[in-house]
Amino acid sequence: EGQLVESGGGLVQPGGSLRLSCAASGITFSSYWMHWVRQAPGKGPVWVSRIDDDGKSTNYADSVKGRFSISRDSAKNTLYLQMKSLRVEDTAVYYCVRGGTYAGRAFYIWGQGTTVTVSS
Amino acid sequence: DIVMTQSPDSLAVSLGERATINCKSSQSVFYSSDNKNFLAWYQQKPGQPPKLLISWASTRESGVPDRFSGSGSGTDFTLTISSLQAEDVAVYYCQQYYTTSYSFGQGTKLEIK
């Protein structure tokens, strides 16, 4: 079925930066749209960003537009999320998610998540 | 953006009884050219990521027990667990994937009565 393993989370001060990574295995990584979804403590999931199968098209939630950047390296089967100008409200568990082979598809496989804490 | 609203926020059901969770979208998520509703249901247990149970409003994912079923079309949807088992205690979310916002409902916490 495939596995997604996130890394790169941690504690960062407001205004700081972090780069999250997601290593994919057991899937044909280059065939799927990939997403980042975050979940603040005690809250529901919120979609953050997506990238198409060949990395040419990206989209972002309004709350992170201009601060976050999604990318992928199909040679390494890895998805990235570069986060800059971090805010306290960005504190959450960040999940890497495999979508479908087209944009409008459900979220089929989720990683275990990596925790980002933005605090002074 | 499409707003997804679930009801109730929490639900307590006896073992073996039926559990019903509702989800309403602020606009239709039915795509006529595909003849499909772009609506999914997820289950999240404590300390775990969400797990996809149902896509296209009523298509159960492989390995999901047949006591889980989804129904509805347009703006009104329902997740039904026909006979509640102890392992079904979780928070359930609906999600639309009709638009790029991929919005989720606020969640319904299901407990044993």
Side-chain angles (χ1 to χ4, degrees):
Chain A
E1 181 183 76
Q3 186 177 15
L4 302 171
V5 179
E6 303 93 337
S7 60
L11 174 63
V12 61
Q13 292 188 337
S17 299
L18 273 179
R19 188 198 199 200
L20 306 183
S21 299
C22 168
S25 59
I27 64 171
T28 308
F29 181 71
S30 60
S31 294
Y32 297 102
W33 289 63
M34 296 295 296
H35 304 263
W36 288 99
V37 175
R38 68 185 181 185
Q39 188 170 26
K43 303 294 185 181
V46 175
W47 174 80
V48 172
S49 181
R50 74 176 185 185
I51 188 167
D52 69 351
D53 52 349
D54 61 9
K56 293 182 178 178
S57 175
T58 60
N59 297 94
Y60 300 91
D62 287 345
S63 59
V64 306
K65 202 171 293 183
R67 300 188 298 123
F68 289 13
S69 177
I70 190 171
S71 61
R72 64 193 297 164
D73 184 337
S74 289
K76 296 182 178 180
N77 285 352
T78 302
L79 178 73
Y80 302 100
L81 186 68
Q82 178 69 52
M83 305 186 295
K84 300 179 179 180
S85 303
L86 283 161
R87 305 168 179 168
V88 171
E89 55 266 34
D90 295 319
T91 295
V93 175
Y94 283 73
Y95 295 104
C96 169
V97 181
R98 197 218 86 185
T101 52
Y102 297 93
R105 295 295 182 267
F107 294 176
Y108 292 94
I109 301 173
W110 296 61
Q112 288 298 310
T114 187
T115 301
V116 172
T117 303
V118 185
S119 175
S120 54
Chain B
D1 284 359
I2 298 178
V3 177
M4 309 300 291
T5 304
Q6 293 180 226
S7 62
D9 290 335
S10 63
L11 180 63
V13 174
S14 300
L15 290 173
E17 295 300 304
R18 179 185 299 264
T20 301
I21 299 170
N22 300 301
C23 174
K24 188 174 184 68
S25 58
S26 60
Q27 67 185 73
S28 177
V29 298
F30 179 74
Y31 194 39
S32 56
S33 60
D34 287 357
N35 195 33
K36 291 183 176 182
N37 288 282
F38 283 49
L39 188 285
W41 288 96
Y42 299 85
Q43 175 193 64
Q44 187 174 31
K45 297 181 179 180
Q48 297 184 18
K51 172 189 173 184
L52 178 64
L53 296 176
I54 289 172
S55 60
W56 307 118
S58 60
T59 301
R60 231 178 358 258
E61 292 302 298
S62 175
V64 174
D66 60 7
R67 63 180 180 273
F68 290 90
S69 63
S71 62
S73 184
T75 61
D76 292 280
F77 302 90
T78 300
L79 174 69
T80 301
I81 306 172
S82 60
S83 177
L84 188 71
Q85 304 299 304
E87 60 265 31
D88 300 335
V89 169
V91 179
Y92 292 83
Y93 296 96
C94 62
Q95 180 213 22
Q96 65 81 18
Y97 45 97
Y98 185 85
T99 67
T100 309
S101 64
Y102 295 100
S103 41
F104 290 82
Q106 80 277 16
T108 296
K109 186 174 184 179
L110 178 59
E111 298 173 316
I112 305 294
K113 185 186 291 183

